[in-house]
Amino acid sequence: MSVAATRHWHRLEDDRVQCDVCPRACKLREGQRGLCFVRARDGDAIVLTTYGRSSGFCVDPIEKKPLDHFLPGTSVLSFGTAGCNLCCRFCQNWDISKSRELDTLADAATPEAIAQAADRLGCASVAFTYNDPVIFMEYAIDVADACHARGIKALAVTAGYMCAAPRAEFYAHIDAANVDLKAFSERFYARTCSGQLQSVLDTLIYLRHHTDVWFEITNLLIPGLNDSDEELDRMTSWVVRELGPDVPMHFTAFHPDYKLLDRPPTPPQTLTRARSIAQGNGVRFAYTGNVHDREGGSTYCPECAALVIERDWYSLGSYALSDAGRCEACDARLPGVFAGRPGSWGRRRLPVRMMSFGR
Ligand code: SF4
């Protein structure tokens, strides 16, 4: 199990075959791989070369994805593959996303084995994370379907850099997503990620207006590159205008990595400033991330301002929502997906070898 057929491609007049999964639109001759490395031309078609292979599995708290309004406190079986369709100079997972070694993909697992493992580990969801599931969408879809058959949810952690037809196919199988909105300028996307902002905005609009997928947004703030008041003001105004006030936004801290080593780590004050700009523009759930900040990491009722979910990093503290996600003080319904009492996974991280669950 490794090579799988794919659907989103077409032949060009010059005999190359174009992949239509993401706006990169790689045009491949026989034997060539796309920029993501995992999709390649094989004969007259594009195939996925890493179906059923993973760079590793781990049980994480859902708050780490981050998703704060989706089954809080529960555990998630997380995995990724290799490769990526963006080239972010600041990549915080570059050993996986830029891997050109198939050795990275040591842990093989069928969709059914993953669903079975999630079930046995007591996970409420499986997350496609560490690298972008856009590039291994056929595998992710089959895993999601196997999970749904056992009542387990499927989550995507993604940069949202995807074309319209595969986007619609992919999200028909996904329950929740965290979309990385890396900046709010085409210049940043072009220079720092070799991508385009507009495709990501299209994904966000699609999710909000054409699906029931619960989604939250993450914005990693890099000192001097995407953290100005003006850019944060434009980004958060756009979110409220186009997506509404109830899409949670997470402002998270950068640490120097990969090819961006000349910038300092993000000061906590920058995250607090971003949160406050977002709130000023009407974002009702703005969070700071990757830092100990009880106030910035907790959820407050949008109607009566009561503290309803207390968080410190990935750990939950006090919890004042009903089983249906209503504020215990004023009965207002919190946007998101809530089912029963919160989980008690805490901030633990548990590496898992899939071999121990059979294949
Ligand atoms: S998914 Fe991969 S092969 Fe397809 S267009 Fe994007 S980078 Fe190229």
Side-chain angles (χ1 to χ4, degrees):
M1 180 177 40
S2 219
V3 175
T6 71
R7 281 177 290 279
H8 300 282
W9 50 266
H10 69 279
R11 282 196 73 135
L12 299 171
E13 283 183 1
D14 63 3
D15 272 351
R16 290 183 298 172
V17 177
Q18 177 176 320
C19 175
D20 297 321
V21 168
C22 88
R24 184 90 40 204
C26 296
K27 298 168 183 62
L28 306 179
R29 297 195 186 282
E30 181 59 41
Q32 286 185 320
R33 288 178 178 270
L35 175 127
C36 62
F37 191 69
V38 301
R39 302 177 91 85
R41 178 164 172 178
D42 182 8
D44 279 345
I46 304 282
V47 295
L48 171 63
T49 61
T50 53
Y51 187 101
R53 295 179 64 186
S54 164
S55 51
F57 291 81
C58 198
V59 182
D60 286 327
I62 189 138
E63 286 75 15
K64 191 175 179 182
K65 300 302 103 188
L67 285 171
D68 279 356
H69 293 227
F70 189 88
L71 305 177
T74 59
S75 59
V76 184
L77 180 60
S78 304
F79 78 99
T81 61
C84 190
N85 59 337
L86 285 171
C87 306
C88 301
R89 288 165 42 76
F90 52 91
C91 185
Q92 315 272 291
N93 271 336
W94 62 271
D95 48 335
I96 290 171
S97 65
K98 291 298 153 201
S99 173
R100 295 291 179 266
E101 301 291 332
L102 290 176
D103 290 354
T104 313
L105 299 170
D107 220 355
T110 62
E112 178 52 29
I114 295 171
Q116 188 186 350
D119 208 357
R120 283 173 54 187
L121 289 160
C123 297
S125 325
V126 165
F128 313 116
T129 179
Y130 308 138
N131 68 330
D132 203 308
V134 164
I135 63 171
F136 61 94
M137 61 176 280
E138 293 79 7
Y139 183 33
I141 285 172
D142 288 352
V143 173
D145 290 351
C147 287
H148 289 155
R150 291 173 177 264
I152 294 164
K153 307 289 188 196
L155 319 179
V157 179
T158 176
Y161 194 56
M162 198 170 197
C163 295
R167 178 192 294 143
E169 182 184 348
F170 179 63
Y171 282 107
H173 301 262
I174 297 295
D175 301 288
N178 186 292
V179 181
D180 197 8
L181 181 54
K182 295 173 187 290
F184 207 66
S185 76
E186 289 292 358
R187 181 185 163 96
F188 179 99
Y189 267 85
R191 288 194 169 187
T192 314
C193 308
S194 301
Q196 303 155 21
L197 168 64
Q198 188 57 51
S199 302
V200 182
L201 301 184
D202 291 347
T203 295
L204 290 168
I205 287 172
Y206 176 77
L207 285 172
R208 174 67 181 84
H209 297 288
H210 300 282
T211 73
D212 292 326
V213 174
W214 175 258
F215 69 99
E216 305 185 12
I217 293 172
T218 290
N219 176 215
L220 181 85
L221 289 165
I222 306 172
L225 280 188
N226 63 354
D227 66 341
S228 71
D229 285 1
E230 184 271 332
E231 185 162 349
L232 288 163
D233 181 48
R234 282 191 299 111
M235 174 190 283
T236 55
S237 301
W238 182 90
V239 166
V240 172
R241 188 173 66 246
E242 301 294 336
L243 310 177
D246 287 340
V247 176
M249 294 193 73
H250 302 263
F251 298 101
T252 61
F254 156 88
H255 61 265
D257 212 335
Y258 194 42
K259 295 182 180 170
L260 204 57
L261 300 170
D262 61 342
R263 301 275 161 173
T266 312
Q269 305 87 294
T270 299
L271 308 182
T272 304
R273 175 170 57 84
R275 177 171 179 258
S276 140
I277 291 170
Q279 289 173 321
N281 281 330
V283 175
R284 298 211 288 178
F285 306 101
Y287 299 105
T288 57
N290 299 352
V291 285
H292 286 291
D293 175 11
R294 177 183 169 279
E295 185 181 340
S298 297
T299 304
Y300 301 87
C301 174
E303 296 299 327
C304 73
L307 173 65
V308 287
I309 309 176
E310 183 184 29
R311 287 184 206 84
D312 181 18
W313 211 301
Y314 306 133
S315 285
L316 299 191
S318 65
Y319 191 88
L321 289 175
S322 73
D323 288 1
R326 292 187 173 278
C327 171
E328 286 180 352
C330 75
D331 205 39
R333 170 92 169 78
L334 207 76
V337 176
F338 301 92
R341 302 317 295 157
S344 56
W345 180 254
R347 72 171 57 134
R348 278 176 295 156
R349 180 176 188 276
L350 176 71
V352 171
R353 283 314 307 260
M354 205 42 65
M355 273 192 305
S356 41
F357 291 92
R359 296 205 177 152

